[in-house]
Amino acid sequence: MMIDLSKLDSIGLKEEGLFIDGVDHEWCWRAKTKNLMVAIAENIEMVHRLGDSRSKFAGITYKVGSPIRLYYQFRNILLLARRGYVPWYWKMRNILVLPIRFLANALLQKNRLVRIRYMLCGIWDGIFKRQGAFNEHW
């Protein structure tokens, strides 16, 4: 992500409480509330790996992340879904897919019990609006 540093005074820094997942999206949505342009530069190359691997279920390929990432993903979806500036399409897509992601990770992946624990902790902390690192709460 490239940021015009002169805009930080009006937008603010990235939200550290989210820690990892959704941080860039959240910052961009705040920038848009200030009527600033957010753009995707398609000719920029960045080496980056999303998820540990890929898996397929019912013809749909999905990212498989580590159990700790599941905590942040589930928690941050619930935290961000409450915010008025977060787009409805993002809220709907992520909230509707959450049960499917839970089942896919609980039934189709290795370390099922660990994954379930992290997802449930993320759901709990998301409901109760807890931010910060996992180890601050669990």
Side-chain angles (χ1 to χ4, degrees), residues 29-53:
W29 294 325
R30 274 191 287 132
K32 285 184 173 188
T33 66
K34 306 285 185 184
N35 295 317
L36 296 171
M37 185 177 72
V38 174
I40 296 173
E42 295 187 14
N43 294 327
I44 304 294
E45 215 173 294
M46 182 173 98
V47 178
H48 187 250
R49 193 175 85 195
L50 294 171
D52 294 337
S53 65

Side-chain angles (χ1 to χ4, degrees), residues 3 6 19 22 36 39 41 43 52 59-60 62 65-67 75 83 85 93 96 111 123 133:
I3 298 172
S6 69
F19 186 65
L36 296 171
N43 294 327
D52 294 337
I60 299 170
Y62 63 96
S66 66
R75 183 197 69 184
R83 299 181 183 182
Y85 58 89
R93 182 183 70 219
L96 291 174
N111 303 317
I123 291 168

